[in-house]
Amino acid sequence: MAAKKKAKKKGKKKAAKKKKKVAKKKKVAKKKKVVKKKKKAAKKKTKRKPNAAFMKPVKPDAKLAAVVGASPIPRTVLTKKLWAYIKRKGLQDKKNKRMINADAALKAVFGKSSVNMFEMTKIVNKHVK
């Protein structure tokens, strides 16, 4: 009988320890939630404002005007029109998508038959005023 009583006491002590651990975990979890809520409230999403330099209309020269039009347009729109032309004519290389194979109109602008897409914007900037 004495052995049974000792076993019961040990069982009760273990149960009490488990309860304390669970209660401690709950407190820590609550603290973390409170901290997270404070951080969420601190962050505010703001809309990005477009850069005025990109929105300033530029006039393409005669060579570039054959591709995108002669009217003054912002650089962002100019790039969109250039990509639309490339996609419409299927000038992007099939294997290496970074390369653009120029047709007659683009060859006049680029000065060579094949151009890297990152190099393209650098070259096009020379053809705007």
Side-chain angles (χ1 to χ4, degrees), residues 61-94:
D61 67 355
K63 293 176 183 177
L64 188 58
V67 179
V68 295
S71 63
I73 51 174
R75 287 180 192 273
T76 53
V77 177
L78 181 114
T79 306
K80 284 180 185 177
K81 284 187 175 187
L82 194 61
W83 271 108
Y85 179 84
I86 291 166
K87 299 277 185 174
R88 186 174 62 242
K89 299 280 185 164
L91 301 175
Q92 202 169 3
D93 194 48
K94 302 293 181 211

Side-chain angles (χ1 to χ4, degrees), residues 88-115:
R88 186 174 62 242
K89 299 280 185 164
L91 301 175
Q92 202 169 3
D93 194 48
K94 302 293 181 211
K95 289 183 181 177
N96 186 0
K97 297 279 186 178
R98 290 187 207 166
M99 298 304 287
I100 295 151
N101 302 320
D103 63 350
L106 282 180
K107 195 169 186 177
V109 175
F110 297 154
K112 47 188 172 179
S113 61
S114 185
V115 175

